[in-house]
Every structure is written in structure tokens, then in C-alpha cells.
């Protein structure tokens, strides 16, 4: 909690730039410098490493430094990859009705698959210290990420808190009716994912590392599918009537240094559910 955010990340969030938006801005600036720099923008993985300050070979290469310093006037590359300190010039004119409270909403997608096509899951959690997830079956993690890869992350120190909807709860039956399924259908899918998490991930770890995977079940009414990566990034989906979770609108939330309360709002929801959950 309270970790410092790099200037480059804070400035990108202030402009509400997704990865695709960042690349578009990059292209405009790169062509002004030298048309041969067209297409030189960082890849997905490199972009997210930059936001975390993971510069594996020191500074970005010279051409990239030139582009970055033109994209963010008044900031040197050294300053961009240092902890953010707000300046008076950082305040941007806001559109009517646009406040500061929710500027940590950095992406809105019509479905989960649309988000993952732009921001692959592995890039979000590859270097994570803590991944917290609550929802019905947690397909985003259990079905989209190989068991061996999750095991590798855990071995390297990543911790997981996984909160499923209790397959035998009344809340599960309510959700099955909402999605139009026969009783037991979603419960069965959730039981499979629970078994994977317990038997194919946690139980295969060395004894001293099994506590890095905490698993719980909740019997409370589902309102959101929440995945939180460290104290920084959230993937949020509402549970809608007559719609599967995978088809629901998906929101990417990234914690800001100043302003922005959405990340903390969903973090509080997760914490509240986790505190009342039955741990397995």
C-alpha cells in the first residue's frame, strides 16, 4: 500500500491513454522526428515493464528517449522513470462534468475478450506480487492462464487470494436463474475450477509455499467480478441479468497518485467479501 508510482505511469493515466492510445501518440511524435521511426513504439510487454520501472537494459534506446521527451514536454527520461512528483503544469483542462475522482478508470471494453486482446493477462500479472480475485468461477485466471504458469509465478513469489461463489449456496442458484441455466450447471463449472485451484495448483507446490495460494468461497449475492493486481491495477466486470460474465462490459482501473477512488472502492468490496468468506 502507498507505493510510489512512476512519473511515466502517472502522466499516461492523466491522459487516459490505453496501450493502443499510447502507441497512436507515439506514432505521431516519431514521424515528426524521423519517418524511419514509424512503428518503433514498445510492444505490450515492454510497455507494461516501463510502467513498472523494469528497464532491463538501463534507459530506453536513444530514439525511444527522443520520442518520450517530445511526448511529455518538460520531462526528461530520467524524470519519467523516477517517482512522480506533481507539478502545477500537470493540471489539464477538464471537460464539463469531468471530475478528478474517477480518473483511474483507464479503459472501457464491451467484453472481457476485447480487453484481453489489447492487454493480455500475462502482461498484467507476470511481475505481480499479489493477485486478488473474487467472482463466480474465476475463469479469467483459472481457464485463461495455464496451471504451470501460475505455479511458476507462485514459485517466484507471487501470492494469490481466490474467492469463488460457493457452488452449494443459494446465491449460486440465484445466479444460475439469472443466466438462464438449469440448477447445478454453473455450480458444476465452479467446482471444476475450485478443484483445479486446490489440486492442480496449490497441492503441487512445496509445502512451505502452499500458503501463497489462499482459496475461499462466498455465499453472498454477486455484483462484480473483481481482479486486483498488486496495489495498482484492477479488472472489473458487473454481473448482469441474462448475460455471462465473459460478455459483460469490462473496466480497466489503474490507481493514480492523486485523485481516483475507483481502485480503492473495488478493493474495499473485495476485502469485505474476503473477510466474511469461508477459507478452504
Amino acid at each position: 500500500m502507498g507505493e510510489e508510482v512512476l512519473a511515466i505511469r502517472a502522466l499516461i493515466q492523466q491522459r487516459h491513454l490505453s496501450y493502443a492510445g499510447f502507441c497512436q501518440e507515439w506514432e505521431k511524435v516519431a514521424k515528426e522526428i524521423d519517418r524511419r521511426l514509424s512503428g518503433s513504439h514498445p510492444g505490450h510487454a515492454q510497455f507494461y515493464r516501463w510502467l513498472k520501472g523494469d528497464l532491463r537494459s538501463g534507459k530506453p534506446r536513444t530514439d525511444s528517449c527522443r520520442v518520450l521527451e517530445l511526448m511529455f514536454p518538460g520531462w526528461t527520461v530520467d524524470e519519467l522513470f523516477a517517482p512522480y512528483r506533481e507539478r502545477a503544469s500537470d493540471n489539464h483542462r477538464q471537460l464539463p462534468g469531468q471530475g478528478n475522482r474517477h480518473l483511474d478508470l483507464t479503459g472501457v471494453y464491451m467484453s472481457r475478450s476485447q480487453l484481453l486482446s489489447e492487454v493480455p493477462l500475462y502482461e498484467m500479472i507476470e511481475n505481480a506480487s499479489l493477485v486478488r480475485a473474487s467472482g463466480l468461477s474465476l475463469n479469467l485466471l483459472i481457464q485463461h492462464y495455464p496451471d504451470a504458469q501460475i505455479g511458476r509465478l507462485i514459485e517466484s513469489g507471487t501470492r494469490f487470494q481466490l474467492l469463488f461463489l460457493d457452488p452449494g449456496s443459494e446465491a449460486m442458484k440465484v445466479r444460475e436463474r439469472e443466466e438462464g441455466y438449469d440448477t447445478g450447471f454453473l455450480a458444476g463449472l465452479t467446482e471444476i475450477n475450485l478443484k483445479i485451484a486446490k489440486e492442480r495448483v496449490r497441492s503441487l507446490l512445496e509445502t512451505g509455499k502452499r500458503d501463497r495460494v489462499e482459496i475461499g468461497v462466498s455465499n453472498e449475492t454477486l455484483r462484480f467480478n473483481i481482479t486486483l493486481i498488486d496495489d495498482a491495477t484492477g479488472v472489473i466486470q458487473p454481473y448482469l441479468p441474462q448475460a455471462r460474465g465473459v460478455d459483460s462490459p469490462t473496466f480497466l482501473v489503474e490507481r493514480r497518485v492523486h485523485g481516483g477512488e475507483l481502485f480503492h472502492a473495488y478493493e474495499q468490496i473485495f476485502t469485505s467479501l474476503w473477510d466474511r468468506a469461508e477459507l478452504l
Side-chain angles (χ1 to χ4, degrees):
M1 296 292 290
E3 64 184 36
E4 292 187 298
V5 174
L6 295 185
I8 188 170
R9 180 172 191 145
L11 295 171
I12 286 172
Q13 290 174 349
Q14 285 178 6
R15 297 187 188 183
H16 313 291
L17 292 177
S18 62
Y19 169 69
F22 176 87
C23 291
Q24 290 174 355
E25 293 284 332
W26 180 287
E27 285 296 295
K28 293 176 185 177
V29 172
K31 289 177 182 178
E32 292 178 7
I33 297 173
D34 188 334
R35 288 194 171 274
R36 290 175 294 182
L37 295 179
S38 178
S40 64
H41 57 77
H44 273 102
Q46 184 180 12
F47 174 75
Y48 285 98
R49 287 199 300 269
W50 280 4
L51 297 190
K52 295 178 181 179
D54 180 9
L55 301 179
R56 297 184 176 179
S57 57
K59 292 182 183 178
R61 54 194 177 88
T62 302
D63 287 337
S64 294
C65 291
R66 293 168 65 194
V67 175
L68 285 169
E69 290 181 351
L70 278 181
M71 286 180 68
F72 303 100
W75 293 83
T76 66
V77 169
D78 287 338
E79 291 171 332
L80 287 171
F81 289 96
Y84 177 67
R85 298 290 180 266
E86 190 171 19
R87 305 173 178 179
S89 59
D90 295 340
N91 296 323
H92 299 285
R93 183 179 65 85
Q94 296 176 355
L95 298 175
Q98 181 184 34
N100 286 322
R101 294 178 56 196
H102 306 310
L103 293 183
D104 49 354
L105 178 61
T106 57
V108 179
Y109 305 85
M110 288 308 299
S111 67
R112 183 189 303 162
S113 59
Q114 188 181 57
L115 164 69
L116 295 178
S117 69
E118 184 171 317
V119 189
L121 179 63
Y122 77 90
E123 292 181 1
M124 290 190 278
I125 70 174
E126 183 65 23
N127 298 304
S129 298
L130 174 63
V131 178
R132 294 168 287 177
S134 66
L136 196 157
S137 303
L138 303 190
N139 283 327
L140 177 63
L141 284 172
I142 305 301
Q143 296 296 333
H144 283 83
Y145 215 78
D147 303 346
Q149 292 282 47
I150 292 180
R152 178 181 58 79
L153 289 175
I154 296 166
E155 291 286 347
S156 64
T158 304
R159 293 174 50 237
F160 285 83
Q161 291 182 327
L162 306 176
L163 182 57
F164 298 82
L165 186 61
D166 188 338
S169 67
E170 184 60 34
M172 176 64 79
K173 296 176 183 177
V174 169
R175 185 59 196 168
E176 288 173 329
R177 290 196 294 270
E178 285 183 340
E179 291 194 27
Y181 290 116
D182 293 336
T183 299
F185 181 81
L186 293 178
L189 295 177
T190 301
E191 286 175 348
I192 290 172
N193 284 359
L194 267 168
K195 188 172 184 178
I196 290 172
K198 290 189 293 184
E199 299 181 10
R200 296 183 58 178
V201 176
R202 186 170 65 182
S203 66
L204 297 182
L205 296 170
E206 297 176 10
T207 302
K209 297 179 180 178
R210 291 178 186 171
D211 61 356
R212 295 179 185 175
V213 182
E214 297 179 86
I215 301 171
V217 291
S218 169
N219 60 7
E220 301 187 34
T221 301
L222 281 177
R223 294 183 175 86
F224 302 100
N225 184 303
I226 300 173
T227 302
L228 304 174
I229 298 116
D230 290 328
D231 186 29
T233 303
V235 177
I236 314 298
Q237 288 187 280
Y239 281 102
L240 304 177
Q242 302 301 317
R244 297 190 303 157
V246 69
D247 296 324
S248 297
T250 307
F251 307 103
L252 182 64
V253 176
E254 297 180 284
R255 184 179 67 85
R256 289 175 49 81
V257 181
H258 300 289
E261 299 173 357
L262 278 177
F263 182 91
H264 295 297
Y266 288 108
E267 183 178 47
Q268 289 173 357
I269 293 172
F270 175 88
T271 300
S272 177
L273 290 170
W274 184 262
D275 288 345
R276 295 192 296 273
E278 176 188 352
L279 299 186
L280 304 179

